[in-house]
Amino acid sequence: MPEQQQQYFIDQAITRHYRVQLTLAGDPETTMTGYLKRGPKNTVLVTMPHDAVTSVAHLNQIQFISRLDY
């Protein structure tokens, strides 16, 4: 995914509070699901409202973003 397109999707997911699934590079089975927030230094935080766990993904790790809340 081109960097500009990825940044646009991330901005839309944060602004519109979309639930998304991130597929990370390196292992096609590595995914994160939740709501995005900006993190420090080129990262995004992936959270779920009912979970106490927050995951961190670096922007260069993200291979694909898909919206889940249609």
Side-chain angles (χ1 to χ4, degrees):
M1 175 181 292
E3 186 177 335
Q4 287 180 321
Q5 184 180 20
Q6 176 185 356
Q7 192 59 46
Y8 176 75
F9 287 149
I10 290 171
D11 291 342
Q12 291 296 307
I14 292 170
T15 303
R16 298 181 180 175
H17 199 64
Y18 291 150
R19 185 168 162 249
V20 297
Q21 180 175 2
L22 303 178
T23 302
L24 303 180
D27 183 0
E29 298 300 318
T30 304
T31 59
M32 295 180 178
T33 303
Y35 298 94
L36 301 181
K37 292 182 182 179
R38 295 244 178 255
K41 293 194 177 196
N42 297 324
T43 61
V44 290
L45 306 176
V46 184
T47 61
M48 286 297 289
H50 60 279
D51 290 339
V53 177
T54 298
S55 303
V56 178
H58 291 276
L59 295 179
N60 60 356
Q61 289 180 307
I62 300 172
Q63 186 174 21
F64 188 74
I65 303 170
S66 60
R67 181 178 168 192
L68 297 178
D69 59 345
Y70 278 98

